Amino acid sequence: MTADIQAGNLSEEELRALIPQLQQLTEKYKRSELVQKALFDISELAGSVSELSRLYPAIHRTIGEFMNAENFFVAFFDQEKEVVDFVYFVDEFDEQTIRSIPAKELMGGITGFILRTGQHLVLTRENHQEVFASNNIKAYGKMPVDLIGVPLKRGNNVIGAMVVQSYDEAVRYSPDDLEVLLFVSQHIVNAVDRVKSRELTEQTIRERTKQLRNINEELQEEIHERQKIESLQQALFEISELAASLDGEMANFYSSLHDILGRLLSAPNCYIAILNKDKDHLDFPYYSDEITRDVESRPLGRGLTEYVLRTGRAELINFSRVAALRDDGELDEATAANMLKRSNSWLGSPLIVEGEISGVIAVQTYGADEQYTLKDLELLRFVSHHIAVAMERKRASDKLQMYNQQLADKVKERTDELHNTNLHLKKQIEERKQIELKLIHDAHHDALTGLPNRVMFNSRLELAIASKKRHTDQHYAVLFIDLDRFKLINDTLGHHAGDEFLIEVSKRIGKCIRGHDLLARLGGDEFVILLDSFDDFHDVEEVATRIIGSISTPFILDSKEMYSGASIGIAYIESGYQSADELIRDADAAMYQAKALGRGRFVMFDKSMRQKLLEELELENEFRRTLKSAKFECFIQPAMDIHTDKYLYHECFIRWEHPSIGKIKREQFWQVAEQSGLTIEIDNYMLEQACRILKHWQKSNGPERNYNVAINLSINHLMQNKLVNQLIEYIDKAQVDPKKLVFEFDENDLNRKSQFMLPAIRKLKRAGVTLVLDNFGSGLASLSYLYSYPFDFVKVDHRFVKSIPRSQRNLKLIQSVMVISEHLNFTLIAEGIENQEQLDALREVGCQYGQGKFLEQASVVDFQARNKSLTA
């Protein structure tokens, strides 16, 4: 978490979001401390309580410290008697009067499920029916709101169950309660085992003491035995206390066990062998021998220790028994030879923890003078169990101590992290304040030039409009500035040079206005100025003149001299304006008027410009209505073989006659279509007309049955793969042969976004459509299309044809393109043939196809005669 915070600057919302996480982490550590305290309490109970009847209420109180456990019971399963003993039971609704219940009566219930499966069980009011059904559990007694039951295990054996339950809707258990209860349950088993062991030991001691007291009068010789038993008792207590001690290394612990064992029987040589995790090697954590000083871990073989591990019982092996074990294959030759050579007497007992053998403790003597007896064997067998428990408790204690230390270190580490985080958060808050100030500045200023942006300009302009209404004698004006050749600079020199150009423009304009005037950049190459409180309207014209003169001065960009210009629209603030958008709109309209008059000038806005805008809007609305009702006039002009007068294809185009304005020029027609965003709809309309003509011709028995139809498509149809697919799908649904369709694309349109066009054009080519590059020679990158695009025909721009035959240069150009066409697999079409001289010149240089009014007149009689029904 800290790494994430330090990785970068966080927002205020993210910083706020961290507070619940930190609080949650704090709660987690508090809960961990409670669990740690509970484990300490349980460990102390196991060491101090001598009766189980006192242990269970104490455990109940300990669990109640970290979770609600008003209803709690502990049950143990006695496999021999096949009964379940409820050793402790507290419930506010159910009273358990019978302590022992036959297991078969409970195995179908909640307690039986835990004892059968060894799995924990979590029941809630919401899920108990589903859980009961899926696990075939029966309900006994009152059903609680929440219940958590966990198994009590000794090793892998389930010996009992511990259950907490709540009948109160306000008391619900969480997954953390389950996790803690599972963790504590194993320690509770260890505590119960310790107390049981202590009870057994004390009971045994009392019984032995009573026996000795009764026999003392008759047999004085038993006094010595009693003393040994008392020594054993003391030894067992010492072993128990030794395991309960939290201090000391394991090596010292084993050495102390050796000393205690040495007071019970002769144990000059002692070792402890432990099975590793894989149970294929023996490790020797303790080895004290007068002959062999050190011993290393070794694989299992046929030694004395392995014999005890195989039999699972304590063994006494003297030299008299060695030969028999060797002959039975229980001991290897080397071990038997050493035993016989040294007259060893050897005692070994398995170390059993929770029913599983984990190792062996062994003592041995050398020489025939000191031999172990069966009493010694019994004593070692008895003590070994306590030693095994003590060893396990010591290991568990060391692990717990290590865990507690790790937990303490973790808490300290997290505390330090929290402190550092708080310091970092304070620093972040200060940085956040600075960022907010910068964001406020950035929200009102242009990132490139540092000028105020549209938001700030509109705000200031709104204030000026309000001021004009209150103080009519004050004068304000808005200047809308548009730069010339900005796109050319961007395209030729790159965006970096374009940015430098805009920065330099902002500096030049800033020098042409007063300090209290406001200059802002709206975006792209558009700037606006608010002239504040000027005295004379001539002052506004003077400012505009200065700006135009300043912008017309050459710019040095990337060591190149570039020229630009400015067109300015001026709108004065009058009392009739209600918003900043109205003023900017009118100043923008005046600027477009300035550009229309030839650029490099300024124009004052008047109401006639607004009227013109309204007329353009009405023209656009009428355009939409005409398109919707399909009332455009459709015309056809052929492209022909100028040598044989055969038709190459017929170009279909539409014209619009406005009800009040009259015929609309082609350029204005497409301008209205683009401004209204209806170019794709016009393309679809043209395609529909072309398909209608082709289907009509297919029904004819004349030569028009083989005619092809061409339409002009805008590049907008090539911008999206979906639109190209729609074109192909429409042709297929119209049941028209795509080879009879010709699509013409204007070179000037392709220049704008040519990088997106090539995949779409290739897809149309694969569909079988004939492709024509129209107005070739009118753009900036004409030759690139000849090499890159799969056009079938290239139509030379009419301006080249118009000047021949008097312009030999243009005629040579047409000849050059014809030469290129032979290598690049396209055919040239000369567009705009208007007289016989042009036709003769093109025939002379070998041009095959042409199009124009002169050719149209020659073929119109025959064509109209065959296609009268198309005009209907």
Side-chain angles (χ1 to χ4, degrees):
M1 179 185 69
T2 304
D4 293 339
I5 294 176
Q6 295 174 348
N9 295 330
L10 300 178
S11 65
E12 183 176 0
E13 289 78 10
E14 291 171 330
L15 295 175
R16 291 180 185 275
L18 283 176
I19 294 176
Q21 297 180 18
L22 297 177
Q23 292 175 344
Q24 183 179 5
L25 187 61
T26 303
E27 292 297 324
K28 180 178 179 181
Y29 291 151
K30 289 182 179 179
R31 191 173 183 87
S32 297
E33 290 179 355
L34 288 175
V35 174
Q36 177 184 353
K37 181 178 180 301
L39 296 180
F40 277 120
D41 293 341
I42 293 172
S43 178
E44 290 178 358
L45 287 172
S48 60
V49 175
S50 60
E51 297 177 2
L52 290 174
S53 59
R54 293 173 54 197
L55 175 66
Y56 298 125
I59 290 175
H60 186 185
R61 290 193 298 272
T62 301
I63 292 176
E65 291 179 2
F66 58 83
M67 64 184 294
N68 188 294
E70 292 184 4
N71 305 286
F72 172 83
F73 70 83
V74 178
F76 286 97
F77 177 44
D78 190 337
Q79 292 184 348
E80 294 181 358
K81 298 180 180 180
E82 294 185 351
V83 297
V84 178
D85 293 326
F86 287 83
V87 297
Y88 184 77
F89 191 96
V90 176
D91 192 283
E92 60 185 294
F93 287 98
D94 295 335
E95 295 184 0
Q96 187 73 18
T97 57
I98 301 175
R99 290 295 181 179
S100 296
I101 298 177
K104 62 181 179 179
E105 297 180 11
L106 291 178
M107 283 305 170
I110 295 173
T111 305
F113 172 81
I114 299 173
L115 295 175
R116 282 187 289 107
T117 64
Q119 300 177 5
H120 65 268
L121 186 64
V122 178
L123 292 180
T124 65
R125 174 162 292 175
E126 294 79 7
N127 76 347
H128 76 273
Q129 292 183 351
E130 178 181 353
V131 173
F132 279 13
S134 61
N135 294 284
N136 196 22
I137 300 176
K138 298 179 181 179
Y140 297 102
K142 181 176 177 59
M143 187 64 204
V145 174
D146 270 8
L147 178 145
I148 299 179
V150 298
L152 299 177
K153 297 181 178 181
R154 183 179 291 115
N156 295 325
N157 297 325
V158 180
I159 64 171
M162 181 171 62
V163 177
V164 294
Q165 50 190 341
S166 168
Y167 299 99
D168 189 354
E169 287 287 347
V171 178
R172 304 301 294 266
Y173 297 131
S174 67
D176 290 340
D177 296 328
L178 171 63
E179 181 180 357
V180 171
L181 207 60
L182 286 169
F183 182 68
V184 170
S185 63
Q186 184 57 47
H187 296 273
I188 291 175
V189 172
N190 292 337
V192 171
D193 288 342
R194 287 176 58 190
V195 175
K196 281 184 177 180
S197 176
R198 181 176 288 110
E199 282 186 343
L200 176 63
T201 302
E202 292 179 353
Q203 182 179 358
T204 302
I205 293 171
R206 285 193 296 270
E207 291 175 356
R208 292 293 178 89
T209 304
K210 183 178 179 179
Q211 291 174 1
L212 290 174
R213 189 178 295 114
N214 294 331
I215 298 175
N216 184 50
E217 295 177 358
E218 299 178 4
L219 299 174
Q220 290 296 327
E221 61 271 15
E222 294 292 335
I223 295 176
H224 179 66
E225 186 67 25
R226 178 181 174 184
Q227 291 176 344
K228 291 187 66 175
I229 293 176
E230 290 177 351
S231 299
L232 176 61
Q233 174 188 358
Q234 182 62 32
L236 295 179
F237 275 117
E238 290 182 10
I239 292 172
S240 179
E241 293 302 321
L242 186 63
S245 175
L246 298 178
D247 300 328
E249 297 292 336
M250 287 299 293
N252 296 331
F253 171 75
Y254 292 135
S255 179
S256 299
L257 285 178
H258 187 187
D259 293 339
I260 294 171
L261 190 60
R263 296 200 299 268
L264 298 176
L265 51 80
S266 177
N269 308 290
C270 175
Y271 70 83
I272 296 174
I274 303 295
L275 281 170
N276 67 351
K277 292 182 179 180
D278 297 331
K279 296 185 178 182
D280 58 357
H281 275 70
L282 284 176
D283 297 326
F284 296 88
Y286 181 77
Y287 197 92
S288 176
D289 193 271
E290 55 189 339
I291 296 177
T292 305
R293 298 298 181 185
D294 297 314
V295 66
E296 296 181 352
S297 174
R298 62 177 174 80
L300 293 178
R302 287 288 171 176
L304 300 172
T305 305
E306 290 88 333
Y307 178 65
V308 173
L309 291 175
R310 290 195 300 274
T311 61
R313 61 178 182 267
E315 296 288 346
L316 167 59
I317 301 176
N318 290 325
F319 62 89
S320 59
R321 192 181 175 199
V322 170
L325 292 175
R326 179 195 60 194
D327 296 340
D328 293 339
E330 298 291 346
L331 295 180
D332 57 38
E333 290 290 343
T335 302
N338 286 332
M339 290 285 291
L340 295 173
K341 177 182 178 181
R342 296 170 179 170
S343 299
N344 277 30
S345 182
W346 186 90
L347 283 178
S349 180
L351 298 173
I352 303 175
V353 178
E354 297 179 352
E356 184 176 354
I357 299 176
S358 62
V360 171
I361 183 169
V363 294
Q364 61 182 344
T365 62
Y366 298 108
D369 295 336
E370 192 170 3
Q371 298 290 314
Y372 291 120
T373 65
L374 293 177
K375 290 185 178 181
D376 295 327
L377 176 63
E378 184 65 26
L379 181 61
L380 182 61
R381 179 189 296 114
F382 181 75
V383 174
S384 66
H385 171 71
H386 298 276
I387 291 176
V389 173
M391 289 172 57
E392 185 63 25
R393 286 177 56 193
K394 178 60 177 176
R395 280 194 292 267
S397 175
D398 287 350
K399 288 182 180 178
L400 180 61
Q401 187 176 11
M402 183 182 301
Y403 171 78
N404 293 336
Q405 183 61 44
Q406 292 174 351
L407 184 61
D409 294 341
K410 205 69 174 179
V411 170
K412 182 178 182 304
E413 179 184 348
R414 289 290 186 261
T415 303
D416 294 340
E417 288 179 359
L418 288 174
H419 176 68
N420 294 332
T421 300
N422 289 333
L423 295 178
H424 183 69
L425 287 176
K426 291 180 180 179
K427 182 180 178 182
Q428 290 280 57
I429 291 172
E430 294 299 325
E431 292 177 354
R432 179 68 179 176
K433 291 179 180 177
Q434 298 299 322
I435 291 173
E436 288 178 352
L437 294 175
K438 187 177 184 303
L439 288 175
I440 293 173
H441 178 273
D442 292 346
H444 294 83
H445 290 79
D446 176 52
L448 176 64
T449 62
L451 295 175
N453 59 12
R454 184 186 294 272
V455 175
M456 185 174 180
F457 185 81
N458 284 359
S459 178
R460 284 283 301 274
L461 188 53
E462 295 284 356
L463 293 176
I465 293 172
S467 177
K468 179 66 176 179
K469 292 179 180 179
R470 293 193 302 269
H471 309 286
T472 57
D473 57 333
Q474 293 186 357
H475 302 298
Y476 304 89
V478 173
L479 280 66
F480 196 107
I481 306 169
D482 184 79
L483 305 176
D484 299 333
R485 307 187 74 192
F486 174 66
K487 184 177 184 304
L488 177 62
I489 293 173
N490 252 343
D491 293 343
T492 55
L493 300 182
H495 292 291
H496 176 69
D499 291 344
E500 290 183 351
F501 169 70
L502 292 175
I503 294 172
E504 179 62 25
V505 167
S506 67
K507 292 178 181 178
R508 292 189 184 185
I509 297 176
K511 294 177 181 179
C512 299
I513 60 177
R514 300 166 297 175
H516 61 276
D517 295 328
L518 180 64
L519 169 63
R521 180 187 176 211
L522 298 185
D525 59 345
E526 294 179 343
F527 293 83
V528 287
I529 299 173
L530 174 61
L531 295 182
D532 192 352
S533 301
F534 56 86
D535 297 326
D536 195 307
F537 290 102
H538 292 292
D539 296 340
V540 179
E541 297 180 4
E542 183 179 346
V543 170
T545 303
R546 287 202 301 267
I547 292 172
I548 292 172
S550 177
I551 301 301
S552 63
T553 305
F555 292 83
I556 305 300
L557 303 172
D558 286 347
S559 303
K560 295 180 178 61
E561 191 176 78
M562 301 294 293
Y563 289 86
S564 182
S567 299
I568 303 177
I570 302 173
Y572 295 106
I573 299 181
E574 299 173 354
S575 57
Y577 283 107
Q578 300 298 322
S579 67
D581 290 337
E582 294 177 359
L583 262 167
I584 295 175
R585 176 200 64 195
D586 290 347
D588 188 19
M591 182 273 296
Y592 274 106
Q593 183 67 21
K595 293 181 70 172
L597 294 175
R599 303 176 182 268
R601 64 182 68 205
F602 62 86
V603 171
M604 304 289 183
F605 177 80
D606 58 43
K607 294 183 179 179
S608 63
M609 296 179 185
R610 187 177 301 163
Q611 184 61 35
K612 183 179 179 181
L613 291 175
L614 293 175
E615 291 176 356
E616 292 178 353
L617 181 60
E618 177 59 29
L619 183 65
E620 180 181 326
N621 292 336
E622 183 62 30
F623 183 89
R624 291 178 181 273
R625 287 192 291 269
T626 305
L627 177 60
K628 187 175 182 180
S629 59
K631 291 183 178 180
F632 290 118
E633 294 182 289
C634 184
F635 296 88
I636 290 180
Q637 185 183 59
M640 304 176 62
D641 189 321
I642 61 177
H643 298 279
T644 64
D645 293 337
K646 290 184 178 180
Y647 296 127
L648 177 63
Y649 61 80
H650 292 83
E651 181 179 353
C652 178
F653 58 92
I654 56 176
R655 292 290 182 264
W656 179 31
E657 185 168 353
H658 192 273
S660 57
I661 301 176
K663 290 185 178 181
I664 305 299
K665 294 181 179 181
R666 182 177 184 273
E667 292 77 9
Q668 188 178 10
F669 176 89
W670 287 108
Q671 182 180 2
V672 174
E674 289 182 0
Q675 289 177 352
S676 58
L678 296 174
T679 55
I680 291 180
E681 286 76 1
I682 290 293
D683 286 348
N684 292 334
Y685 178 80
M686 292 288 296
L687 181 59
E688 180 183 347
Q689 297 302 315
C691 290
R692 183 176 66 86
I693 293 171
L694 284 173
K695 292 182 72 175
H696 173 75
W697 285 347
Q698 287 176 3
K699 298 176 183 178
S700 171
N701 293 323
E704 61 270 18
R705 185 179 182 86
N706 298 318
Y707 290 169
N708 299 334
V709 175
I711 58 173
N712 282 276
L713 288 184
S714 69
I715 62 167
N716 292 331
H717 246 114
L718 304 180
M719 295 297 292
Q720 300 182 33
N721 188 52
K722 178 179 69 174
L723 295 177
V724 177
N725 292 335
Q726 288 176 356
L727 282 177
I728 298 173
E729 290 174 2
Y730 182 86
I731 296 171
D732 183 59
K733 289 181 180 179
Q735 296 181 345
V736 172
D737 186 359
K739 295 180 180 180
K740 291 186 176 297
L741 278 173
V742 181
F743 288 170
E744 295 189 0
F745 296 99
D746 190 277
E747 180 194 70
N748 289 307
D749 292 339
L750 291 175
N751 277 335
R752 285 181 286 172
K753 296 182 178 179
S754 60
Q755 67 271 28
F756 302 107
M757 303 298 108
L758 184 55
I761 289 177
R762 286 176 175 171
K763 181 174 286 189
L764 291 175
K765 179 71 174 178
R766 290 193 297 269
V769 177
T770 301
L771 303 177
V772 177
L773 176 63
D774 196 9
N775 294 327
F776 176 73
S778 60
L780 297 176
S782 303
L783 290 178
S784 64
Y785 300 118
L786 304 183
Y787 285 96
S788 303
Y789 288 76
F791 288 109
D792 299 287
F793 297 94
V794 173
K795 190 182 293 185
V796 175
D797 189 69
H798 65 91
R799 286 172 290 187
F800 292 97
V801 177
K802 184 178 181 180
S803 59
I804 60 173
R806 66 178 182 275
S807 175
Q808 291 296 315
R809 183 175 183 180
N810 285 345
L811 194 59
K812 293 292 185 182
L813 175 63
I814 293 174
Q815 286 181 293
S816 299
V817 176
M818 290 172 56
V819 173
I820 295 175
S821 70
E822 295 176 359
H823 298 282
L824 300 182
N825 296 323
F826 66 85
T827 304
L828 188 70
I829 301 174
E831 184 182 18
I833 301 176
E834 298 180 349
N835 53 55
Q836 187 67 43
E837 290 78 8
Q838 294 172 348
L839 181 61
D840 293 340
L842 291 169
R843 285 174 174 172
E844 185 177 348
V845 297
C847 181
Q848 185 176 359
Y849 297 105
Q851 186 179 9
K853 293 181 179 180
F854 184 74
L855 298 178
E856 182 180 359
Q857 293 171 359
S859 61
V860 68
V861 176
D862 176 66
F863 182 77
Q864 289 182 349
R866 295 180 178 275
N867 297 278
K868 289 181 180 181
S869 61
L870 285 175
T871 60

